[in-house]
């Protein structure tokens, strides 16, 4: 199945009604679980997640019913992270960079300008680097599934002008997620980063609390940020994904054969979602232009030079440690300094 703009819209329209009906009939399920996330229903992650939940229900003969709560319905990212730890929700997808507020080294995959392209991302995240991060997450008493979902390479939007070089970020008021790595990187650019949960981003841009924000194209589109931002600068400054997390008690409550069905379907959906995001990104540039955005391609070299000069890479190498940094450099095929 190829997820097109049309199927995303149709999926967005259909899911709320379908979810309500399923939930009403799910009370008889042996494992009646909730999955929360921060993305709109039309995002490929929710489209593929719904497919996975349908298959899980079918293959477990109705024993497992998982309802999706998208778009921050159950709270901001930090709230939902607390809920999945306490068991208030059983499943939650979260960026490794925000997860780093709990698991410090989870954010290593998001180091600025580390990954040149997807050709380096997936071998790393499905290989040694991903295995290292999952091991760190599991130390915090959370279950993390094997395949990371794609969020995409992040780009900068602005209401005040294009960002072509690192110099354009000086004094720029930019919304960043609640994560030390983001704050550190944009501080190195001499910007004015403000940590704001995603649920509040649109209003923060609309009211001018910040000049801009940074997110992958699919989120800029599905969250309609083009309505409150004029400029889009393709910086590819970091790659970001979503780890699929589970409450450990809820996970272990399911028999091993049931856990296998749940994990297999969710991991398979993650791989399909990666393909969807790639296909979507190939069409979104034109769509965002048609929605009034002015788009420019930034030059990566000036940004990397600025980060090196500011001591950003040296600082984070010290924080992550020699072992983790060596795994990262091996994965990206470069000396990050």
């Amino acid at each position: 199945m190829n997820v097109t703009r049309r199927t995303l819209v149709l999926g967005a329209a259909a899911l709320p009604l379908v979810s309500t009906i399923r939930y009403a009939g799910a009370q008889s399920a042996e494992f009646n679980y909730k999955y929360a996330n921060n993305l709109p229903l039309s995002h490929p992650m929710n489209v593929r997640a719904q497919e996975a939940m349908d298959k899980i229900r079918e293959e477990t003969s109705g024993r497992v019913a998982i309802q999706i709560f998208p778009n921050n319905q159950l709270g901001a990212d930090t709230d939902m992270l607390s809920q999945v730890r306490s068991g208030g929700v059983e499943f939650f997808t979260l960026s490794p960079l925000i997860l780093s507020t709990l698991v410090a080294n989870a954010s290593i995959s998001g180091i600025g300008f580390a990954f040149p392209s997807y050709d380096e991302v997936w071998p790393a995240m499905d290989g040694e680097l991903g295995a290292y991060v999952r091991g760190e997450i599991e130390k915090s008493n959370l279950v993390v599934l094997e395949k990371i979902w794609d969020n995409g390479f992040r780009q900068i939007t602005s209401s005040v002008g294009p960002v072509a070089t690192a110099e354009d970020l000086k004094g720029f008021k930019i919304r960043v997620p609640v994560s030390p790595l983001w704050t550190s990187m944009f501080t190195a650019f001499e910007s004015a980063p403000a940590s704001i949960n995603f649920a509040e981003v649109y209003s923060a841009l609309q009211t001018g609390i910040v000049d801009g924000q940074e997110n992958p194209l699919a989120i800029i589109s599905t969250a309609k940020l083009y309505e409150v931002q004029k400029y889009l600068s393709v910086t590819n400054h970091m790659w970001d994904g979503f780890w699929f997390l589970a409450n450990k008690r809820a996970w272990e409550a399911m028999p091993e054969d049931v856990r296998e069905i749940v994990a297999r379907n969710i991991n398979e959906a993650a791989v399909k979602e990666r393909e969807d995001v790639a296909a979507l990104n190939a069409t979104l540039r034109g769509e965002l232009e048609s929605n009034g955005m002015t788009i420019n391609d930034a030059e990566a070299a000036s940004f990397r030079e600025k980060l090196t000069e500011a001591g950003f890479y040296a600082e984070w190498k010290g924080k992550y440690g020699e072992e983790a940094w060596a795994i990262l450099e091996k994965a990206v095929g470069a000396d990050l300094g």
Side-chain angles (χ1 to χ4, degrees):
M1 172 186 176
N2 289 324
V3 175
T4 63
R5 298 300 301 168
R6 182 172 180 274
T7 56
L8 288 178
V9 171
L10 290 174
L15 275 170
L17 176 61
V18 172
S19 293
T20 302
I21 294 170
R22 284 179 187 139
Y23 193 66
Q27 302 298 337
S28 60
E30 185 178 350
F31 303 101
N32 191 8
Y33 286 170
K34 297 184 288 292
Y35 160 48
N37 64 69
N38 64 5
L39 294 181
L41 275 168
S42 56
H43 192 279
M45 188 173 78
N46 277 314
V47 175
R48 292 300 186 179
Q50 186 63 66
E51 290 180 2
M53 303 320 171
D54 291 344
K55 290 179 181 178
I56 289 167
R57 183 99 187 256
E58 179 183 351
E59 290 183 32
T60 62
S61 302
R63 294 176 70 189
V64 180
I66 304 171
Q67 186 191 12
I68 299 174
F69 290 84
N71 213 26
N72 295 109
Q73 285 181 8
L74 300 185
D77 288 338
T78 46
D79 299 325
M80 290 188 287
L81 179 57
S82 295
Q83 290 176 54
V84 78
R85 295 183 70 199
S86 67
V89 300
E90 289 78 20
F91 297 101
F92 175 44
T93 35
L94 184 63
S95 161
L97 284 85
I98 300 174
L99 183 56
S100 69
T101 58
L102 173 66
V103 182
N105 280 17
S107 63
I108 192 167
S109 58
I111 283 289
F113 299 94
F115 288 108
S117 70
Y118 279 117
D119 290 340
E120 291 78 27
V121 169
W122 299 130
M125 301 312 295
D126 289 339
E128 188 178 1
L129 184 62
Y132 168 79
V133 173
R134 291 195 303 276
E136 294 295 297
I137 295 170
E138 287 166 357
K139 292 176 184 177
S140 295
N141 218 30
L142 286 169
V143 172
V144 55
L145 297 188
E146 181 181 358
K147 298 293 184 182
I148 193 168
W149 297 54
D150 191 22
N151 192 2
F153 281 92
R154 301 180 76 95
Q155 323 298 350
I156 295 174
T157 67
S158 166
S159 61
V160 297
V163 175
T165 68
E167 184 66 23
D168 295 324
L169 287 173
K170 192 170 184 177
F172 184 68
K173 293 186 295 181
I174 185 167
R175 173 268 172 180
V176 296
V178 182
S179 167
L181 182 60
W182 262 294
T183 302
S184 171
M185 185 171 76
F186 283 98
T187 298
F189 288 133
E190 299 181 72
S191 306
S195 295
I196 300 172
N197 274 299
F198 186 71
E200 302 162 20
V201 168
Y202 189 99
S203 61
L205 295 169
Q206 188 176 40
T207 56
I209 292 173
V210 289
D211 300 321
Q213 63 84 53
E214 49 78 67
N215 256 305
L217 294 180
I219 290 182
I220 293 168
S221 175
T222 56
K224 299 184 178 181
L225 299 186
Y226 52 80
E227 294 178 346
V228 288
Q229 296 278 270
K230 170 66 175 173
Y231 302 95
L232 167 62
S233 299
V234 180
T235 52
N236 291 322
H237 55 272
M238 60 170 65
W239 173 80
D240 193 20
F242 297 102
W243 286 115
F244 207 106
L245 307 171
N247 174 270
K248 190 171 184 178
R249 289 186 303 276
W251 182 259
E252 292 180 348
M254 295 185 292
E256 188 173 348
D257 62 325
V258 172
R259 293 200 299 266
E260 186 279 327
I261 292 170
V262 174
R264 172 169 45 78
N265 279 290
I266 290 174
N267 285 328
E268 287 176 357
V271 174
K272 292 175 182 176
E273 184 264 1
R274 296 174 183 180
E275 297 168 356
D276 295 340
V277 170
L280 195 54
N281 282 339
T283 66
L284 280 175
R285 182 164 176 149
E287 181 187 306
L288 290 167
E289 283 180 323
S290 71
N291 280 312
M293 298 197 87
T294 300
I295 301 178
N296 71 285
D297 292 297
E299 174 51 57
S302 75
F303 297 93
R304 285 205 53 173
E305 287 169 10
K306 181 68 174 177
L307 291 179
T308 301
E309 290 171 7
F312 172 80
Y313 293 115
E315 175 190 353
W316 284 92
K317 180 178 181 179
K319 288 182 177 180
Y320 292 130
E322 294 285 346
E323 177 195 3
W325 198 259
I327 294 171
L328 173 64
E329 290 190 327
K330 179 182 175 182
V332 301
D335 181 1
L336 297 173

